[in-house]
Amino acid sequence: MLYLPDTMANWPWPRAINPHFEDVKAEVDASFRDFKALSPESQEAFDKCDFARLSALTYPNVSRELLRIGCVLNNVYFIVDEYTDAENAAVTQEMLDIVLDALHDPHKPRPEGECILGEIVRQFWARAIQTASLSSQRHLVETFTAYLRATAVEAIDREKGHCRSINDYLKLRRDTCAVKYSVPVCEMGMELPDEVFYHPVIVDLVDCITELCLIDNDMISYNREQATGMENYNLITAIMLELSLDISGAMAWAARYHAEVQKRFMDGLAKVPSWGPSSRPLWARGHHCWKIQQSRLVPLLPKVNCKDASAVVRIMHREQPSGMLGLNWPVFASQMISVT
């Protein structure tokens, strides 16, 4: 059995959900299905992951339009992540180049037969910039570009079977985690200067929230990843290898580190200049609520053939002009939690 510690038991910010959730979810889900980026079975499983709920839990106070942007952005993140997860470094880089090109020029039509990621990102950003302030546009492009570059490095690690040290893993994972580029969504209704966005105290606070989320994510996803042979890119594996701990010991170490990061966040929060309230603590709570279920004692999943695992997807855009992705999503979805 695998025990998942209650890492957020002492987090002072309560669960909250955006009142526009149901309305925006229906709109965004329908729009995403129109891309036909997934097979019918995979799309059904993707829907069960309920990424719109993640957005509503992590953006509980934003307007309807900003919630919609956040929902689509999360869809973009998860579909890019899944398209690239099973590919080698060269193919991954090709996909990421397409995404980056669409982000930099959302008004340029995408080439016929191109991977569907380009059109998904183009439509997302073409609408978002109609609402977003110029400073938030710049900050999102900068943080999303950092995510794409880190994803390319992750693909190289995956291809080489490389497992990083704890510190090296955390450094890379802060950029492959979705948290950093979610921050600009909160500032889209304002002109936030760089001296605020990149203030050392703010940067450290964002790093703290990012680490809290990635620790929770890796603790919960480790079970699926160890079963599918994809555990090298997981904090629990890095801890086990570097500190010679078993799974339970690594989970306990991660929980203690999580508590240390919480304290660092609380200490840093007291040093923030008075720029108004922050929604970042709600991101950590919302992400945790979306990921976790009531039972924290779960059976360790048996090993499966990686060809059948959700983490090792087969990219069908080479065979299907629509760019349809043929994932084994039911396995993946069964491990994802939607909290009511």
Side-chain angles (χ1 to χ4, degrees):
M1 298 296 285
L2 187 63
Y3 177 71
L4 300 175
D6 188 359
T7 55
M8 297 294 282
N10 298 317
W11 193 246
W13 288 271
R15 178 189 186 278
I17 193 164
N18 194 292
H20 302 292
F21 163 57
E22 295 290 350
D23 182 36
V24 171
K25 171 181 168 58
E27 179 182 330
V28 171
D29 286 357
S31 178
F32 183 77
R33 290 188 200 100
D34 289 342
F35 288 115
K36 294 181 171 56
L38 305 170
S39 67
E41 182 185 27
S42 297
Q43 182 64 63
E44 181 181 357
F46 186 91
D47 291 342
K48 292 178 181 178
C49 294
D50 206 356
F51 297 123
R53 185 178 298 273
L54 169 63
S55 303
L57 287 166
T58 53
Y59 299 115
N61 300 320
V62 301
S63 67
R64 185 192 186 284
E65 181 59 22
L66 292 189
L67 176 62
R68 188 189 186 285
I69 291 172
C71 286
V72 179
L73 182 59
N74 273 328
N75 279 349
V76 167
Y77 168 75
F78 282 103
I79 199 67
V80 169
D81 190 57
E82 290 303 325
Y83 259 69
T84 58
D85 255 358
E87 289 295 350
N88 60 38
V91 176
T92 294
Q93 188 61 63
E94 291 175 6
M95 291 181 176
L96 299 180
D97 288 343
I98 289 171
V99 170
L100 190 60
D101 183 66
L103 192 64
H104 280 290
D105 193 354
H107 301 300
K108 180 177 73 174
R110 304 311 305 171
E112 185 177 352
E114 181 185 70
C115 174
I116 194 62
L117 294 179
E119 183 60 16
I120 291 174
V121 173
R122 188 199 70 77
Q123 289 191 27
F124 155 69
W125 196 227
R127 174 161 175 165
I129 60 178
Q130 297 177 30
T131 301
S133 62
L134 291 178
S135 61
S136 68
Q137 292 180 40
R138 185 175 68 255
H139 294 152
L140 190 142
V141 170
E142 290 169 355
T143 53
F144 201 88
T145 299
Y147 154 70
L148 296 176
R149 289 172 177 166
T151 299
V153 174
E154 178 189 350
I156 295 173
D157 283 355
R158 185 171 61 245
E159 190 170 79
K160 294 180 177 179
H162 176 57
C163 185
R164 291 173 174 259
S165 67
I166 296 171
N167 287 336
D168 283 350
Y169 175 81
L170 289 173
K171 181 179 179 181
L172 182 64
R173 189 75 170 96
R174 291 187 202 107
D175 283 332
T176 60
C177 185
V179 177
K180 282 190 176 182
Y181 69 68
S182 73
V183 177
V185 175
C186 299
E187 60 158 312
M188 284 186 172
M190 64 184 84
E191 287 290 346
L192 195 65
D194 285 353
E195 53 264 34
V196 174
F197 191 83
Y198 291 113
H199 190 284
V201 174
I202 300 299
V203 170
D204 188 58
L205 290 177
V206 172
D207 280 347
C208 285
I209 295 298
T210 301
E211 288 199 1
L212 293 179
C213 292
L214 74 85
I215 294 168
D216 280 336
N217 181 85
D218 283 16
M219 292 172 77
I220 295 167
S221 66
Y222 175 79
N223 197 9
R224 173 176 59 87
E225 289 169 1
Q226 65 81 28
T228 59
M230 296 292 287
E231 70 270 31
N232 276 2
Y233 194 69
N234 188 290
L235 178 61
I236 300 303
T237 299
I239 295 169
M240 291 170 65
L241 292 177
E242 183 171 332
L243 303 180
S244 299
L245 296 173
D246 61 11
I247 297 175
S248 296
M251 288 285 181
W253 190 97
R256 290 194 297 272
Y257 182 65
H258 194 285
E260 293 173 8
V261 176
Q262 285 191 40
K263 184 180 185 303
R264 196 174 99 215
F265 178 85
M266 299 302 294
D267 292 344
L269 200 59
K271 302 174 185 177
V272 176
S274 182
W275 291 318
S278 170
S279 64
R280 291 301 89 201
L282 300 176
W283 224 104
R285 171 63 73 187
H287 175 269
H288 184 265
C289 287
W290 176 72
K291 289 291 291 187
I292 194 64
Q293 60 182 344
Q294 288 185 348
S295 175
R296 297 184 177 278
L297 193 62
V298 296
L300 191 66
L301 294 174
K303 300 287 187 181
V304 299
N305 189 320
C306 66
K307 292 182 179 180
D308 298 325
S310 63
V312 183
V313 299
R314 295 181 178 182
I315 308 303
M316 302 299 292
H317 71 278
R318 297 184 185 129
E319 303 169 12
Q320 302 177 39
S322 65
M324 180 175 291
L325 177 61
L327 313 184
N328 189 347
W329 273 98
V331 179
F332 171 72
S334 69
Q335 298 303 312
M336 303 302 290
I337 309 303
S338 65
V339 180
T340 57

